[in-house]
Amino acid sequence: MAAKPPAWTSPAELHAAALRSWNSGELLREAAAPSGLHPRRRAIRHPNATQLRTHYTEAAAWASGWEPAPRGCTLEHVSVGASTIGANVLPAAAVFASAAGEIEFLGRGREAARHAELARRLAELDARLAAWALRRPLELLKQGDDALTAARVALWLAANPRPGIYLRQLSLPGVHTKFVETHRRLIDELLSTLEPGRVLGGKNYARRHGFLAAPDRVRVRFLDPAHAPVSGMADVEVTAACFAALDLDVDRIIATENLVNFLALPDAPRTLAVFGGGYGFEGLGDAAWLRGTEVLYWGDIDTHGFHILDQLRARHPHVRSILMDEETLMAHRAFWGREDTPTHAALTRLTAEESALYAALQAGTFAPLLRLEQELLRWDHVLERLP
């Protein structure tokens, strides 16, 4: 059986190499601001004299595949086999005189022209944005005219760092609340280019940029009807500021992140139930009056549940967890689920027992990526263990 012909460079491989340069944004950057990378010589693996003797038919077919030369480049040739089977002139390298040549070779001329036009229009809005167009050329192509609209928002934010209005009140051509919401990352990238020293932190996007934002709200149930503010008004929702200003005559708070559990908690003397979904307990942070009240937190048995508990204790160190223990976990093996994106944060405010269970969840001791949602606990188990 004849040996397999060697792997000589094909036009498709040359195309793949150039495409990698395009996909990294390199070619668009070089087209806009040449760095000296071009002319670029891309070597072509070609048959040697021995291979010409043993695989002449294959070598001839390979060489014909390079005729005519691919567009956008010129081919360098070498003479091979002159002293053995006779001189054969073979392609040895493709030379691209400029980034434009490689772009032509890839058939991406229209995209390159579009990028150049968008970059020009960005620079017309503000010369500083040219740096972003150069750094993120493919993102600019992807966003298209939306990048120009986002740039106008970024420029407005730079000129109005503390607007003091609701985001809904922003009046710029082509801009509405949903546009800002769906282009937040892009707007922040452009704003960081305009003002590199500006700190863009905080979970609430509106507040991060000095807009007014809907206040955090706290929903509560008076589990002791005698302590409801108005007879029959046991389930109420107030702003976090209002909740912080209260001084309720209760002895115990039960905070849960599941609405059905919040609604199903049984009556209990001098007890208040508080609902907050996920990491939604920020409203409790400023309620200083909680320091004189027993506070219980009932969350999912997963890494994020313990992370929320740790965050609550940052403001209220006396918070105690309930139904977040190994006994509850093992009693509900049939209801175990999967936590797709566990947190690996270092939690410093857990008890020894909580820390051990948190570490076991991270390590997959009981099962990989394990979580037990609080809403899946048997209600008889819950009632037996509620303090």
Side-chain angles (χ1 to χ4, degrees):
M1 181 181 293
K4 182 179 179 180
W8 304 313
T9 302
S10 66
E13 289 177 288
L14 179 66
H15 187 277
L19 186 60
R20 285 192 291 273
S21 292
W22 172 271
N23 289 338
S24 70
E26 179 187 74
L27 289 181
L28 286 172
R29 282 191 288 271
E30 288 295 318
S35 68
L37 184 62
H38 294 84
R40 170 146 66 185
R41 182 180 184 275
R42 293 193 182 273
I44 297 174
R45 295 187 308 277
H46 56 79
N48 57 32
T50 300
Q51 292 165 346
L52 284 174
R53 287 198 308 272
T54 57
H55 297 90
Y56 188 83
T57 300
E58 294 91 341
W62 172 85
S64 67
W66 286 96
E67 297 176 359
R71 61 181 179 176
C73 71
T74 58
L75 294 180
E76 289 182 358
H77 293 82
V78 294
S79 179
V80 179
S83 60
T84 54
I85 64 169
N88 287 263
V89 177
L90 302 176
V95 180
F96 295 93
S98 65
E102 283 201 74
I103 290 170
E104 179 187 0
F105 168 61
L106 291 171
R108 301 297 183 102
R110 181 175 298 177
E111 291 99 316
R114 173 66 170 157
H115 174 267
E117 170 66 11
L118 290 167
R120 180 188 65 77
R121 292 169 64 187
L122 267 182
E124 287 178 351
L125 291 173
D126 191 290
R128 292 171 292 178
L129 295 176
W132 182 85
L134 198 61
R135 186 172 66 252
R136 300 273 280 155
L138 296 178
E139 184 67 15
L140 177 55
L141 267 181
K142 175 184 174 182
Q143 297 293 342
D145 288 337
D146 282 349
L148 303 176
T149 304
R152 289 195 292 271
V153 176
L155 285 164
W156 189 91
L157 291 174
N160 301 273
R162 307 299 300 176
I165 60 175
Y166 285 100
L167 186 56
R168 177 68 179 85
Q169 295 173 282
L170 179 62
S171 296
L172 290 174
V175 177
H176 47 78
T177 305
K178 191 170 184 179
F179 177 88
V180 176
E181 290 175 350
T182 56
H183 294 81
R184 291 181 296 180
R185 181 186 58 79
L186 175 61
I187 292 168
D188 280 1
E189 279 191 28
L190 294 166
L191 183 56
S192 293
T193 301
L194 294 168
E195 297 188 341
R198 183 158 173 170
V199 178
L200 299 176
K203 295 179 181 179
N204 189 294
Y205 190 81
R207 290 192 180 122
R208 181 192 311 171
H209 292 291
F211 289 98
L212 300 177
D216 291 328
R217 304 187 71 81
V218 179
R219 183 172 176 180
V220 301
R221 277 187 65 225
F222 291 85
L223 301 185
D224 186 342
H227 285 77
V230 177
S231 179
M233 190 182 292
D235 187 340
V236 297
E237 185 175 288
V238 297
T239 66
C242 178
F243 184 81
L246 295 174
D247 189 6
L248 296 175
D249 185 23
V250 296
D251 296 332
R252 183 173 58 175
I253 303 289
I254 301 177
T256 178
E257 56 179 297
N258 180 268
L259 179 58
V260 174
N261 288 344
F262 166 80
L263 295 173
L265 283 170
D267 288 351
R270 301 179 61 80
T271 300
L272 186 73
V274 176
F275 169 67
Y279 286 82
F281 288 105
E282 290 88 349
L284 305 187
D286 295 328
W289 61 275
L290 293 182
R291 295 167 191 162
T293 304
E294 182 183 18
V295 180
L296 308 177
Y297 169 65
W298 176 17
D300 294 332
I301 302 181
D302 62 10
T303 61
H304 287 281
F306 284 109
H307 196 183
I308 296 169
L309 173 62
D310 187 82
Q311 287 186 340
L312 275 172
R313 285 188 179 142
R315 303 297 293 273
H316 301 293
H318 66 298
V319 170
R320 184 160 60 92
S321 66
I322 57 172
L323 296 161
M324 296 178 67
D325 51 73
E326 186 174 336
E327 179 190 359
T328 297
L329 179 66
M330 302 309 293
H332 295 81
R333 184 185 292 269
F335 304 128
W336 286 2
R338 177 183 177 88
E339 183 181 32
D340 291 325
T341 56
T343 177
H344 296 281
L347 306 184
T348 61
R349 305 179 187 93
L350 302 182
T351 66
E353 182 181 358
E354 292 162 353
S355 292
L357 184 51
Y358 177 64
L361 292 170
Q362 288 182 311
T365 301
F366 305 109
L369 302 175
L370 174 61
R371 75 178 306 207
L372 174 60
E373 297 178 73
Q374 56 179 272
E375 64 191 80
L376 301 179
L377 304 189
R378 296 192 315 274
W379 199 243
D380 60 339
H381 180 96
V382 172
L383 295 178
E384 288 173 1
R385 287 160 179 79
L386 280 177

